[in-house]
PDB file of all heavy atoms in Angstrom:
ATOM      1  N   PHE A  36      30.924 -10.869   7.320  1.00  0.00           N
ATOM      2  CA  PHE A  36      29.888  -9.844   7.262  1.00  0.00           C
ATOM      3  C   PHE A  36      29.745  -9.300   5.832  1.00  0.00           C
ATOM      4  O   PHE A  36      28.634  -9.142   5.312  1.00  0.00           O
ATOM      5  CB  PHE A  36      30.272  -8.727   8.246  1.00  0.00           C
ATOM      6  CG  PHE A  36      29.190  -7.727   8.490  1.00  0.00           C
ATOM      7  CD1 PHE A  36      28.111  -8.036   9.313  1.00  0.00           C
ATOM      8  CD2 PHE A  36      29.242  -6.467   7.909  1.00  0.00           C
ATOM      9  CE1 PHE A  36      27.102  -7.107   9.553  1.00  0.00           C
ATOM     10  CE2 PHE A  36      28.241  -5.540   8.146  1.00  0.00           C
ATOM     11  CZ  PHE A  36      27.174  -5.852   8.965  1.00  0.00           C
ATOM     12  N   ILE A  39      28.364 -12.209   3.362  1.00  0.00           N
ATOM     13  CA  ILE A  39      26.914 -12.453   3.550  1.00  0.00           C
ATOM     14  C   ILE A  39      26.114 -11.352   2.853  1.00  0.00           C
ATOM     15  O   ILE A  39      25.167 -11.620   2.118  1.00  0.00           O
ATOM     16  CB  ILE A  39      26.553 -12.472   5.054  1.00  0.00           C
ATOM     17  CG1 ILE A  39      27.035 -13.748   5.713  1.00  0.00           C
ATOM     18  CG2 ILE A  39      25.063 -12.265   5.255  1.00  0.00           C
ATOM     19  CD1 ILE A  39      26.018 -14.867   5.768  1.00  0.00           C
ATOM     20  N   HIS A  40      26.486 -10.116   3.081  1.00  0.00           N
ATOM     21  CA  HIS A  40      25.716  -9.023   2.468  1.00  0.00           C
ATOM     22  C   HIS A  40      25.819  -9.048   0.949  1.00  0.00           C
ATOM     23  O   HIS A  40      24.840  -8.817   0.247  1.00  0.00           O
ATOM     24  CB  HIS A  40      26.166  -7.663   3.023  1.00  0.00           C
ATOM     25  CG  HIS A  40      25.603  -7.369   4.373  1.00  0.00           C
ATOM     26  ND1 HIS A  40      26.156  -7.858   5.535  1.00  0.00           N
ATOM     27  CD2 HIS A  40      24.496  -6.680   4.750  1.00  0.00           C
ATOM     28  CE1 HIS A  40      25.425  -7.449   6.574  1.00  0.00           C
ATOM     29  NE2 HIS A  40      24.420  -6.742   6.124  1.00  0.00           N
ATOM     30  N   TYR A  43      23.595 -11.717  -0.363  1.00  0.00           N
ATOM     31  CA  TYR A  43      22.197 -11.250  -0.336  1.00  0.00           C
ATOM     32  C   TYR A  43      21.911 -10.362  -1.545  1.00  0.00           C
ATOM     33  O   TYR A  43      20.884 -10.505  -2.197  1.00  0.00           O
ATOM     34  CB  TYR A  43      21.908 -10.449   0.940  1.00  0.00           C
ATOM     35  CG  TYR A  43      21.368 -11.296   2.072  1.00  0.00           C
ATOM     36  CD1 TYR A  43      22.144 -11.612   3.171  1.00  0.00           C
ATOM     37  CD2 TYR A  43      20.063 -11.784   2.031  1.00  0.00           C
ATOM     38  CE1 TYR A  43      21.656 -12.397   4.207  1.00  0.00           C
ATOM     39  CE2 TYR A  43      19.562 -12.564   3.066  1.00  0.00           C
ATOM     40  CZ  TYR A  43      20.365 -12.867   4.142  1.00  0.00           C
ATOM     41  OH  TYR A  43      19.867 -13.645   5.156  1.00  0.00           O
ATOM     42  N   PHE A  47      19.136 -10.870  -4.286  1.00  0.00           N
ATOM     43  CA  PHE A  47      18.098  -9.850  -4.549  1.00  0.00           C
ATOM     44  C   PHE A  47      18.027  -9.594  -6.055  1.00  0.00           C
ATOM     45  O   PHE A  47      16.952  -9.428  -6.619  1.00  0.00           O
ATOM     46  CB  PHE A  47      18.419  -8.526  -3.832  1.00  0.00           C
ATOM     47  CG  PHE A  47      18.279  -8.553  -2.322  1.00  0.00           C
ATOM     48  CD1 PHE A  47      18.954  -7.649  -1.521  1.00  0.00           C
ATOM     49  CD2 PHE A  47      17.455  -9.492  -1.699  1.00  0.00           C
ATOM     50  CE1 PHE A  47      18.823  -7.655  -0.130  1.00  0.00           C
ATOM     51  CE2 PHE A  47      17.318  -9.511  -0.303  1.00  0.00           C
ATOM     52  CZ  PHE A  47      18.009  -8.585   0.471  1.00  0.00           C
ATOM     53  N   LEU A  93      25.236 -15.801   9.921  1.00  0.00           N
ATOM     54  CA  LEU A  93      25.682 -14.562  10.564  1.00  0.00           C
ATOM     55  C   LEU A  93      25.453 -14.603  12.074  1.00  0.00           C
ATOM     56  O   LEU A  93      26.160 -13.946  12.838  1.00  0.00           O
ATOM     57  CB  LEU A  93      24.975 -13.358   9.917  1.00  0.00           C
ATOM     58  CG  LEU A  93      25.690 -12.017  10.061  1.00  0.00           C
ATOM     59  CD1 LEU A  93      27.168 -12.105   9.711  1.00  0.00           C
ATOM     60  CD2 LEU A  93      25.019 -10.951   9.228  1.00  0.00           C
ATOM     61  N   MET A  96      28.119 -15.175  14.676  1.00  0.00           N
ATOM     62  CA  MET A  96      28.980 -14.072  15.113  1.00  0.00           C
ATOM     63  C   MET A  96      28.406 -13.488  16.408  1.00  0.00           C
ATOM     64  O   MET A  96      27.247 -13.083  16.441  1.00  0.00           O
ATOM     65  CB  MET A  96      29.000 -13.007  13.999  1.00  0.00           C
ATOM     66  CG  MET A  96      29.862 -11.813  14.286  1.00  0.00           C
ATOM     67  SD  MET A  96      29.815 -10.639  12.895  1.00  0.00           S
ATOM     68  CE  MET A  96      28.158 -10.021  13.026  1.00  0.00           C
ATOM     69  N   PHE A 101      31.086  -8.802  16.620  1.00  0.00           N
ATOM     70  CA  PHE A 101      30.576  -7.732  15.757  1.00  0.00           C
ATOM     71  C   PHE A 101      31.160  -6.385  16.183  1.00  0.00           C
ATOM     72  O   PHE A 101      31.549  -5.562  15.353  1.00  0.00           O
ATOM     73  CB  PHE A 101      29.034  -7.716  15.821  1.00  0.00           C
ATOM     74  CG  PHE A 101      28.388  -6.738  14.872  1.00  0.00           C
ATOM     75  CD1 PHE A 101      28.861  -6.575  13.564  1.00  0.00           C
ATOM     76  CD2 PHE A 101      27.285  -5.982  15.267  1.00  0.00           C
ATOM     77  CE1 PHE A 101      28.253  -5.677  12.678  1.00  0.00           C
ATOM     78  CE2 PHE A 101      26.681  -5.079  14.387  1.00  0.00           C
ATOM     79  CZ  PHE A 101      27.168  -4.926  13.093  1.00  0.00           C
ATOM     80  N   SER A 112      24.339   0.735   6.264  1.00  0.00           N
ATOM     81  CA  SER A 112      23.329  -0.169   6.842  1.00  0.00           C
ATOM     82  C   SER A 112      22.525  -0.800   5.717  1.00  0.00           C
ATOM     83  O   SER A 112      22.356  -0.202   4.645  1.00  0.00           O
ATOM     84  CB  SER A 112      22.389   0.645   7.746  1.00  0.00           C
ATOM     85  OG  SER A 112      21.167  -0.047   7.953  1.00  0.00           O
ATOM     86  N   GLY A 113      22.000  -2.004   5.995  1.00  0.00           N
ATOM     87  CA  GLY A 113      21.115  -2.678   5.035  1.00  0.00           C
ATOM     88  C   GLY A 113      19.917  -1.801   4.695  1.00  0.00           C
ATOM     89  O   GLY A 113      19.268  -1.983   3.663  1.00  0.00           O
ATOM     90  N   PHE A 114      19.647  -0.830   5.552  1.00  0.00           N
ATOM     91  CA  PHE A 114      18.591   0.152   5.328  1.00  0.00           C
ATOM     92  C   PHE A 114      18.778   0.831   3.963  1.00  0.00           C
ATOM     93  O   PHE A 114      17.824   1.269   3.341  1.00  0.00           O
ATOM     94  CB  PHE A 114      18.728   1.188   6.453  1.00  0.00           C
ATOM     95  CG  PHE A 114      17.550   2.094   6.588  1.00  0.00           C
ATOM     96  CD1 PHE A 114      16.327   1.588   7.000  1.00  0.00           C
ATOM     97  CD2 PHE A 114      17.658   3.446   6.327  1.00  0.00           C
ATOM     98  CE1 PHE A 114      15.231   2.428   7.138  1.00  0.00           C
ATOM     99  CE2 PHE A 114      16.576   4.292   6.462  1.00  0.00           C
ATOM    100  CZ  PHE A 114      15.357   3.776   6.873  1.00  0.00           C
ATOM    101  N   PHE A 119      16.758  -4.242  -2.021  1.00  0.00           N
ATOM    102  CA  PHE A 119      15.705  -4.670  -1.089  1.00  0.00           C
ATOM    103  C   PHE A 119      14.483  -3.766  -1.261  1.00  0.00           C
ATOM    104  O   PHE A 119      13.347  -4.229  -1.316  1.00  0.00           O
ATOM    105  CB  PHE A 119      16.217  -4.633   0.355  1.00  0.00           C
ATOM    106  CG  PHE A 119      15.200  -5.118   1.358  1.00  0.00           C
ATOM    107  CD1 PHE A 119      14.961  -6.474   1.516  1.00  0.00           C
ATOM    108  CD2 PHE A 119      14.456  -4.215   2.119  1.00  0.00           C
ATOM    109  CE1 PHE A 119      13.998  -6.931   2.424  1.00  0.00           C
ATOM    110  CE2 PHE A 119      13.493  -4.665   3.027  1.00  0.00           C
ATOM    111  CZ  PHE A 119      13.274  -6.019   3.174  1.00  0.00           C
ATOM    112  N   ARG A 120      14.723  -2.459  -1.395  1.00  0.00           N
ATOM    113  CA  ARG A 120      13.606  -1.519  -1.613  1.00  0.00           C
ATOM    114  C   ARG A 120      12.920  -1.815  -2.945  1.00  0.00           C
ATOM    115  O   ARG A 120      11.714  -1.694  -3.066  1.00  0.00           O
ATOM    116  CB  ARG A 120      14.094  -0.062  -1.611  1.00  0.00           C
ATOM    117  CG  ARG A 120      14.698   0.388  -0.325  1.00  0.00           C
ATOM    118  CD  ARG A 120      13.714   0.430   0.827  1.00  0.00           C
ATOM    119  NE  ARG A 120      14.418   0.637   2.089  1.00  0.00           N
ATOM    120  CZ  ARG A 120      14.099   0.043   3.222  1.00  0.00           C
ATOM    121  NH1 ARG A 120      13.076  -0.780   3.297  1.00  0.00           N
ATOM    122  NH2 ARG A 120      14.785   0.281   4.317  1.00  0.00           N
ATOM    123  N   GLU A 123      10.609  -4.527  -2.344  1.00  0.00           N
ATOM    124  CA  GLU A 123       9.432  -3.996  -1.635  1.00  0.00           C
ATOM    125  C   GLU A 123       8.520  -3.241  -2.614  1.00  0.00           C
ATOM    126  O   GLU A 123       7.294  -3.396  -2.564  1.00  0.00           O
ATOM    127  CB  GLU A 123       9.861  -3.053  -0.511  1.00  0.00           C
ATOM    128  CG  GLU A 123      10.452  -3.765   0.690  1.00  0.00           C
ATOM    129  CD  GLU A 123      10.604  -2.852   1.902  1.00  0.00           C
ATOM    130  OE1 GLU A 123      11.005  -1.672   1.729  1.00  0.00           O
ATOM    131  OE2 GLU A 123      10.346  -3.290   3.025  1.00  0.00           O
ATOM    132  N   TRP A 221      11.608 -13.462   6.555  1.00  0.00           N
ATOM    133  CA  TRP A 221      12.961 -12.896   6.533  1.00  0.00           C
ATOM    134  C   TRP A 221      13.045 -11.724   7.509  1.00  0.00           C
ATOM    135  O   TRP A 221      14.002 -11.602   8.270  1.00  0.00           O
ATOM    136  CB  TRP A 221      13.366 -12.439   5.120  1.00  0.00           C
ATOM    137  CG  TRP A 221      14.775 -11.925   5.165  1.00  0.00           C
ATOM    138  CD1 TRP A 221      15.921 -12.662   5.116  1.00  0.00           C
ATOM    139  CD2 TRP A 221      15.179 -10.556   5.370  1.00  0.00           C
ATOM    140  NE1 TRP A 221      17.014 -11.837   5.274  1.00  0.00           N
ATOM    141  CE2 TRP A 221      16.584 -10.541   5.429  1.00  0.00           C
ATOM    142  CE3 TRP A 221      14.496  -9.353   5.515  1.00  0.00           C
ATOM    143  CZ2 TRP A 221      17.327  -9.380   5.613  1.00  0.00           C
ATOM    144  CZ3 TRP A 221      15.235  -8.185   5.706  1.00  0.00           C
ATOM    145  CH2 TRP A 221      16.634  -8.206   5.750  1.00  0.00           C
ATOM    146  N   ARG A 222      12.018 -10.866   7.486  1.00  0.00           N
ATOM    147  CA  ARG A 222      12.027  -9.702   8.389  1.00  0.00           C
ATOM    148  C   ARG A 222      12.134 -10.171   9.843  1.00  0.00           C
ATOM    149  O   ARG A 222      12.888  -9.609  10.633  1.00  0.00           O
ATOM    150  CB  ARG A 222      10.734  -8.890   8.226  1.00  0.00           C
ATOM    151  CG  ARG A 222      10.628  -8.109   6.925  1.00  0.00           C
ATOM    152  CD  ARG A 222       9.451  -7.145   7.027  1.00  0.00           C
ATOM    153  NE  ARG A 222       8.924  -6.722   5.761  1.00  0.00           N
ATOM    154  CZ  ARG A 222       9.399  -5.709   5.054  1.00  0.00           C
ATOM    155  NH1 ARG A 222      10.435  -5.026   5.476  1.00  0.00           N
ATOM    156  NH2 ARG A 222       8.833  -5.377   3.905  1.00  0.00           N
ATOM    157  N   HIS A 225      15.569 -11.470  10.622  1.00  0.00           N
ATOM    158  CA  HIS A 225      16.511 -10.350  10.647  1.00  0.00           C
ATOM    159  C   HIS A 225      16.407  -9.611  11.976  1.00  0.00           C
ATOM    160  O   HIS A 225      17.417  -9.268  12.598  1.00  0.00           O
ATOM    161  CB  HIS A 225      16.226  -9.429   9.444  1.00  0.00           C
ATOM    162  CG  HIS A 225      17.051  -8.173   9.419  1.00  0.00           C
ATOM    163  ND1 HIS A 225      16.539  -6.948   9.738  1.00  0.00           N
ATOM    164  CD2 HIS A 225      18.358  -7.956   9.121  1.00  0.00           C
ATOM    165  CE1 HIS A 225      17.489  -6.025   9.632  1.00  0.00           C
ATOM    166  NE2 HIS A 225      18.608  -6.615   9.261  1.00  0.00           N
ATOM    167  N   MET A 228      18.052 -11.600  14.652  1.00  0.00           N
ATOM    168  CA  MET A 228      19.509 -11.509  14.507  1.00  0.00           C
ATOM    169  C   MET A 228      19.997 -10.154  15.061  1.00  0.00           C
ATOM    170  O   MET A 228      21.011 -10.082  15.767  1.00  0.00           O
ATOM    171  CB  MET A 228      19.875 -11.637  13.020  1.00  0.00           C
ATOM    172  CG  MET A 228      21.326 -11.360  12.705  1.00  0.00           C
ATOM    173  SD  MET A 228      21.709 -11.782  10.999  1.00  0.00           S
ATOM    174  CE  MET A 228      20.714 -10.633  10.089  1.00  0.00           C
ATOM    175  N   VAL A 229      19.243  -9.098  14.744  1.00  0.00           N
ATOM    176  CA  VAL A 229      19.608  -7.766  15.229  1.00  0.00           C
ATOM    177  C   VAL A 229      19.548  -7.753  16.757  1.00  0.00           C
ATOM    178  O   VAL A 229      20.483  -7.291  17.419  1.00  0.00           O
ATOM    179  CB  VAL A 229      18.658  -6.693  14.616  1.00  0.00           C
ATOM    180  CG1 VAL A 229      18.858  -5.342  15.289  1.00  0.00           C
ATOM    181  CG2 VAL A 229      18.873  -6.586  13.108  1.00  0.00           C
ATOM    182  N   THR A 232      22.423  -9.556  18.300  1.00  0.00           N
ATOM    183  CA  THR A 232      23.745  -8.999  18.014  1.00  0.00           C
ATOM    184  C   THR A 232      23.953  -7.614  18.632  1.00  0.00           C
ATOM    185  O   THR A 232      25.016  -7.324  19.182  1.00  0.00           O
ATOM    186  CB  THR A 232      23.990  -8.923  16.481  1.00  0.00           C
ATOM    187  OG1 THR A 232      23.591 -10.151  15.904  1.00  0.00           O
ATOM    188  CG2 THR A 232      25.445  -8.675  16.157  1.00  0.00           C
ATOM    189  N   ILE A 233      22.925  -6.751  18.554  1.00  0.00           N
ATOM    190  CA  ILE A 233      23.121  -5.398  19.120  1.00  0.00           C
ATOM    191  C   ILE A 233      22.075  -5.031  20.173  1.00  0.00           C
ATOM    192  O   ILE A 233      22.053  -3.891  20.663  1.00  0.00           O
ATOM    193  CB  ILE A 233      23.150  -4.299  18.017  1.00  0.00           C
ATOM    194  CG1 ILE A 233      21.831  -4.257  17.221  1.00  0.00           C
ATOM    195  CG2 ILE A 233      24.355  -4.472  17.099  1.00  0.00           C
ATOM    196  CD1 ILE A 233      21.686  -3.015  16.348  1.00  0.00           C
ATOM    197  N   GLY A 238      20.476   1.539  15.153  1.00  0.00           N
ATOM    198  CA  GLY A 238      21.193   0.980  14.006  1.00  0.00           C
ATOM    199  C   GLY A 238      22.227   1.927  13.446  1.00  0.00           C
ATOM    200  O   GLY A 238      22.177   3.136  13.706  1.00  0.00           O
ATOM    201  N   THR A 239      23.149   1.393  12.644  1.00  0.00           N
ATOM    202  CA  THR A 239      24.157   2.259  12.010  1.00  0.00           C
ATOM    203  C   THR A 239      23.493   3.181  10.991  1.00  0.00           C
ATOM    204  O   THR A 239      24.012   4.235  10.648  1.00  0.00           O
ATOM    205  CB  THR A 239      25.243   1.413  11.303  1.00  0.00           C
ATOM    206  OG1 THR A 239      24.603   0.381  10.544  1.00  0.00           O
ATOM    207  CG2 THR A 239      26.212   0.798  12.285  1.00  0.00           C
ATOM    208  N   GLY A 240      22.316   2.779  10.495  1.00  0.00           N
ATOM    209  CA  GLY A 240      21.598   3.590   9.505  1.00  0.00           C
ATOM    210  C   GLY A 240      20.809   4.725  10.138  1.00  0.00           C
ATOM    211  O   GLY A 240      20.152   5.492   9.438  1.00  0.00           O
ATOM    212  N   GLY A 241      20.852   4.819  11.484  1.00  0.00           N
ATOM    213  CA  GLY A 241      20.235   5.959  12.144  1.00  0.00           C
ATOM    214  C   GLY A 241      18.829   5.712  12.683  1.00  0.00           C
ATOM    215  O   GLY A 241      18.217   6.616  13.242  1.00  0.00           O
ATOM    216  N   SER A 242      18.316   4.489  12.553  1.00  0.00           N
ATOM    217  CA  SER A 242      16.983   4.222  13.095  1.00  0.00           C
ATOM    218  C   SER A 242      17.116   3.757  14.544  1.00  0.00           C
ATOM    219  O   SER A 242      18.223   3.587  15.056  1.00  0.00           O
ATOM    220  CB  SER A 242      16.270   3.137  12.285  1.00  0.00           C
ATOM    221  OG  SER A 242      16.693   1.858  12.709  1.00  0.00           O
ATOM    222  N   GLY A 244      16.668   0.940  15.502  1.00  0.00           N
ATOM    223  CA  GLY A 244      17.141  -0.451  15.506  1.00  0.00           C
ATOM    224  C   GLY A 244      15.982  -1.434  15.497  1.00  0.00           C
ATOM    225  O   GLY A 244      15.035  -1.292  14.725  1.00  0.00           O
ATOM    226  N   TYR A 247      12.429  -0.112  15.368  1.00  0.00           N
ATOM    227  CA  TYR A 247      11.963   0.322  14.037  1.00  0.00           C
ATOM    228  C   TYR A 247      11.620  -0.903  13.186  1.00  0.00           C
ATOM    229  O   TYR A 247      10.568  -0.949  12.527  1.00  0.00           O
ATOM    230  CB  TYR A 247      13.037   1.165  13.331  1.00  0.00           C
ATOM    231  CG  TYR A 247      12.955   1.068  11.822  1.00  0.00           C
ATOM    232  CD1 TYR A 247      11.921   1.696  11.130  1.00  0.00           C
ATOM    233  CD2 TYR A 247      13.869   0.295  11.081  1.00  0.00           C
ATOM    234  CE1 TYR A 247      11.801   1.564   9.741  1.00  0.00           C
ATOM    235  CE2 TYR A 247      13.756   0.148   9.709  1.00  0.00           C
ATOM    236  CZ  TYR A 247      12.723   0.790   9.042  1.00  0.00           C
ATOM    237  OH  TYR A 247      12.593   0.645   7.682  1.00  0.00           O
ATOM    238  N   LEU A 248      12.495  -1.895  13.209  1.00  0.00           N
ATOM    239  CA  LEU A 248      12.287  -3.069  12.340  1.00  0.00           C
ATOM    240  C   LEU A 248      10.982  -3.777  12.682  1.00  0.00           C
ATOM    241  O   LEU A 248      10.275  -4.252  11.793  1.00  0.00           O
ATOM    242  CB  LEU A 248      13.483  -4.023  12.448  1.00  0.00           C
ATOM    243  CG  LEU A 248      14.782  -3.465  11.856  1.00  0.00           C
ATOM    244  CD1 LEU A 248      15.975  -4.311  12.287  1.00  0.00           C
ATOM    245  CD2 LEU A 248      14.713  -3.377  10.334  1.00  0.00           C
ATOM    246  N   THR A 251       7.871  -2.801  10.880  1.00  0.00           N
ATOM    247  CA  THR A 251       7.693  -3.198   9.470  1.00  0.00           C
ATOM    248  C   THR A 251       7.200  -4.650   9.364  1.00  0.00           C
ATOM    249  O   THR A 251       6.913  -5.125   8.279  1.00  0.00           O
ATOM    250  CB  THR A 251       9.030  -3.122   8.688  1.00  0.00           C
ATOM    251  OG1 THR A 251       9.906  -4.143   9.172  1.00  0.00           O
ATOM    252  CG2 THR A 251       9.697  -1.772   8.826  1.00  0.00           C
TER     253      THR A 251
HETATM  254  C1  HEM R 301      24.895  -8.353  12.480  1.00  0.00           C
HETATM  255  C2  HEM R 301      24.015  -8.363  11.532  1.00  0.00           C
HETATM  256  C3  HEM R 301      23.025  -7.246  11.279  1.00  0.00           C
HETATM  257  C4  HEM R 301      22.634  -6.242  12.092  1.00  0.00           C
HETATM  258  C5  HEM R 301      23.071  -5.952  13.527  1.00  0.00           C
HETATM  259  C6  HEM R 301      21.681  -5.440  11.347  1.00  0.00           C
HETATM  260  C7  HEM R 301      21.050  -4.326  11.842  1.00  0.00           C
HETATM  261  C8  HEM R 301      20.094  -3.601  11.186  1.00  0.00           C
HETATM  262  C9  HEM R 301      19.391  -2.481  11.734  1.00  0.00           C
HETATM  263  C10 HEM R 301      19.558  -1.964  13.144  1.00  0.00           C
HETATM  264  C11 HEM R 301      18.535  -2.014  10.784  1.00  0.00           C
HETATM  265  C12 HEM R 301      17.590  -0.818  10.895  1.00  0.00           C
HETATM  266  C13 HEM R 301      18.144   0.343  10.120  1.00  0.00           C
HETATM  267  C14 HEM R 301      19.326   0.993  10.796  1.00  0.00           C
HETATM  268  O1  HEM R 301      19.134   1.887  11.631  1.00  0.00           O
HETATM  269  O2  HEM R 301      20.478   0.618  10.477  1.00  0.00           O
HETATM  270  C15 HEM R 301      18.709  -2.860   9.625  1.00  0.00           C
HETATM  271  C16 HEM R 301      17.999  -2.729   8.461  1.00  0.00           C
HETATM  272  C17 HEM R 301      18.129  -3.565   7.379  1.00  0.00           C
HETATM  273  N1  HEM R 301      19.040  -4.583   7.252  1.00  0.00           N
HETATM  274 FE1  HEM R 301      20.226  -5.326   8.669  1.00  0.00          FE
HETATM  275  N2  HEM R 301      21.492  -5.993  10.115  1.00  0.00           N
HETATM  276  C18 HEM R 301      22.309  -7.088  10.025  1.00  0.00           C
HETATM  277  C19 HEM R 301      22.437  -7.923   8.927  1.00  0.00           C
HETATM  278  C20 HEM R 301      21.775  -7.768   7.745  1.00  0.00           C
HETATM  279  C21 HEM R 301      21.935  -8.614   6.585  1.00  0.00           C
HETATM  280  C22 HEM R 301      22.848  -9.836   6.465  1.00  0.00           C
HETATM  281  C23 HEM R 301      21.152  -8.107   5.616  1.00  0.00           C
HETATM  282  C24 HEM R 301      21.037  -8.666   4.228  1.00  0.00           C
HETATM  283  C25 HEM R 301      20.973  -7.897   3.178  1.00  0.00           C
HETATM  284  C26 HEM R 301      20.466  -6.954   6.152  1.00  0.00           C
HETATM  285  C27 HEM R 301      19.573  -6.176   5.467  1.00  0.00           C
HETATM  286  C28 HEM R 301      18.856  -5.143   6.017  1.00  0.00           C
HETATM  287  C29 HEM R 301      17.784  -4.457   5.326  1.00  0.00           C
HETATM  288  C30 HEM R 301      17.264  -4.766   3.928  1.00  0.00           C
HETATM  289  C31 HEM R 301      17.320  -3.477   6.179  1.00  0.00           C
HETATM  290  C32 HEM R 301      16.157  -2.521   5.928  1.00  0.00           C
HETATM  291  C33 HEM R 301      14.904  -3.146   6.527  1.00  0.00           C
HETATM  292  C34 HEM R 301      13.680  -2.241   6.513  1.00  0.00           C
HETATM  293  O3  HEM R 301      13.811  -1.003   6.454  1.00  0.00           O
HETATM  294  O4  HEM R 301      12.556  -2.787   6.571  1.00  0.00           O
HETATM  295  N3  HEM R 301      20.864  -6.790   7.440  1.00  0.00           N
HETATM  296  N4  HEM R 301      19.646  -3.819   9.890  1.00  0.00           N
END
Side-chain angles (χ1 to χ4, degrees):
F36 191 76
I39 286 267
H40 282 82
Y43 268 107
F47 290 157
L93 203 48
M96 181 179 70
F101 185 41
S112 160
F114 194 67
F119 182 77
R120 298 295 170 219
E123 286 192 319
W221 182 82
R222 288 191 202 275
H225 175 255
M228 172 171 65
V229 170
T232 314
I233 60 167
T239 46
S242 82
Y247 152 73
L248 292 167
T251 68

